Structure formats: structure tokens, C-alpha cells
Amino acid sequence: MTGPTTGLATTAFLPPAGDGVDSIGLAESVHGVRVLLGRSLRHVTRSPDTIVTTALMPVAMLLLFVYVFGSAIQAGADTGAYVDYLLPGILLITVVSGISYTAFRLFLDVQRGIVERTWTFPVPRSAILWAHVLTSLVANAISLVLVVGVALLMGFRSGAGPLEWLAVVGLLALFTLALTWLAVIPGLTASTPDGASGFAYPLLLLPFLSSAFVPTDTMPGPVAAFAEHQPVTSLADAIRGLLAGTPVGDQAWTALAWCSGLLVVALVLALRVYRRRLG
């Protein structure tokens, strides 16, 4: 794409600009966000590298860890059991991989002047941010469904009922929202594309330093202490217990607290950064 208004053809379907944000009605706001969401989703489907990274790479990791390392990692009695143990961690890695592209796509919109252009439309000025956040939810949901489908073909079986599955979906959605709003910050402030998307790379290390691949009691003391007190462990353990249909104790509440706290902090900081950009 070239030029500041490239990719905005869909904005022709927005209603004419009004007198200001105060005059925007609910219907116009929803319509504007929907149009911007459609534009963002189309960009995802037209980006093969996004699809490969956010969907196929987690599947490749699932295959690698189960069929290459599974017999050496004593987390389960057989390959099928290790798929059951491993899947929650792979789902979290899938989300972390996906949100880096939210920062990258928002960075491109900022650099090309598209964010400022949307301020002239009769939609809330934060509509462009919500469009990117909702795109992240949709794109990550598709990737997560694909990963679960592959896991089922590999022998994954769940003892979860409808309520447990709903709880898993809720935790993953909350985790995605929290990290997506965190991704908005570098998307608005980075000076290079690598700086925008690269913030997620350190986050990818957290699953490897958690209970996502092996129980924490098999780790050396200092590593185990860190693993037991970081959010990915509580999330992985909670999702694992819910999928197995077993009691999760306080892990679900701990995971919920981590995700909710991160979401509030990331949302407040992202909106503050955006308001500063508005001037």
C-alpha cells in the first residue's frame, strides 16, 4: 500500500462527516466501527505471512513437541496424554504470536496517516483502535480453533462440559484482549515496523518458563519459583484443568485476576497514549 489514504476505499460507505463527535449517534458509531473492522479483517486475509505465523506456526510447534520431544518429556504416559498436557500452552503461544500483528497493522495505519484520516469521519475517534482490537479477537479465535482441531486429530480428548468450555473461551478471550490492548501501545509509539511487532518476542519466552510444557516441580529452584508466580502458569494450569474436567482450585481465579489486571492497565495506558496523539 502507498499513500496516506490507501486502504480506505471502504470508508466511502461511512455516512458524511458531521459537526463533531458529540453529534454522533449509536447507529453511526456502530456502523463506522463495523466498516473499519471489515477493512482490517480484509488486510489480515490478504497477508499470507500473518496467516502462517499466527496459525501454522503454533500447529508446527504442537507437532514438534508431541512427536519429537513428547517421548522424552515425562509429562504424560503416552503421546496422547502429552497432547492433553501441552495444548493449553500452545493455545497461549498462539495468542501471543497473533497480537504482534495488531501492533504492526496499527503502526502502518499511523505511519500512512490513516488514523488521522478516520478522525474526519462521524465515528468516535477511538473507533480505529476498537477495529484493530476486534480484528485481533476474530483472527486469534480462528487460529485457536485450528490449533484445537489439529490437536483433536493428534489424539487430544477433553472431559470438559459446556460450562468448562465456556470458561476456557472466556479466559482465552480475556487474555487476547489484555495483550491486544498492550500491543496498541507500541503500535502507536514505535518508530519502526520491527519496533512495533518486536515487543511480543519477550512475551513468547514466558510459556517456556511456565508449566506450559513441563510441570514446574521438575525445574531448578529459581526457575521454578519464577514459573510458579507468573501469569502463564496460572492460565495454562486453569485451562488444562478445565479441559480435563477436573477441579482447578484457585488457579482459575488467579488467571482471571492476572488477565483482568493486565487488561485494565493496558487499556488505560493505550488510551492515554492515544489521547496524547490526538493533541
Side-chain angles (χ1 to χ4, degrees), residues 9-259:
T10 53
T11 57
F13 297 100
L14 287 167
D19 296 330
V21 174
D22 292 339
S23 63
I24 299 172
L26 177 61
E28 290 83 358
S29 298
V30 171
H31 178 65
V33 172
R34 181 176 61 81
V35 171
L36 294 172
L37 172 61
R39 166 189 172 269
S40 187
L41 287 174
R42 277 189 290 275
H43 285 185
V44 172
T45 60
R46 295 169 183 171
S47 176
D49 60 322
T50 301
I51 297 172
V52 169
T53 302
T54 60
L56 297 187
M57 286 302 295
V59 168
M61 291 186 64
L62 183 64
L63 294 170
L64 177 67
F65 274 90
V66 170
Y67 292 126
V68 177
F69 303 131
S71 60
I73 300 176
Q74 302 301 315
D78 52 33
T79 299
Y82 189 55
V83 168
D84 295 348
Y85 185 92
L86 180 66
L87 181 60
I90 297 296
L91 294 177
L92 297 177
I93 287 176
T94 302
V95 173
V96 176
S97 299
I99 54 97
S100 64
Y101 280 87
T102 299
F104 177 72
R105 289 190 296 269
L106 181 56
F107 168 81
L108 292 182
D109 280 356
V110 170
Q111 293 298 306
R112 292 166 176 162
I114 294 175
V115 170
E116 286 80 359
R117 176 69 189 279
T118 62
W119 297 347
T120 66
F121 301 128
V123 295
R125 290 194 170 185
S126 61
I128 187 71
L129 299 186
W130 284 105
H132 281 286
V133 170
L134 293 175
T135 297
S136 176
L137 280 175
V138 173
N140 277 289
I142 294 172
S143 297
L144 291 169
V145 169
L146 176 61
V147 171
V148 172
V150 173
L152 287 170
L153 294 176
M154 295 171 63
F156 166 71
R157 296 296 180 265
S158 173
L163 290 179
E164 285 83 3
W165 273 105
L166 186 62
V168 169
V169 171
L171 283 175
L172 289 172
L174 191 60
F175 183 61
T176 303
L177 274 175
L179 291 192
T180 300
W181 278 108
L182 188 64
V184 167
I185 300 172
L188 292 170
T189 60
S191 56
T192 65
D194 290 339
S197 58
F199 91 99
Y201 296 151
L203 297 179
L204 284 171
L205 294 176
L206 290 179
F208 294 95
L209 298 173
S210 72
S211 64
F213 296 94
V214 295
T216 57
D217 56 16
T218 65
M219 301 176 181
V223 178
F226 174 79
E228 290 170 359
H229 296 90
Q230 61 121 322
V232 173
T233 290
S234 60
L235 273 165
D237 289 347
I239 293 173
R240 187 177 296 117
L242 289 168
L243 290 176
T246 59
V248 294
D250 294 333
Q251 290 293 347
W253 294 110
T254 303
L256 184 64
W258 271 112
C259 290

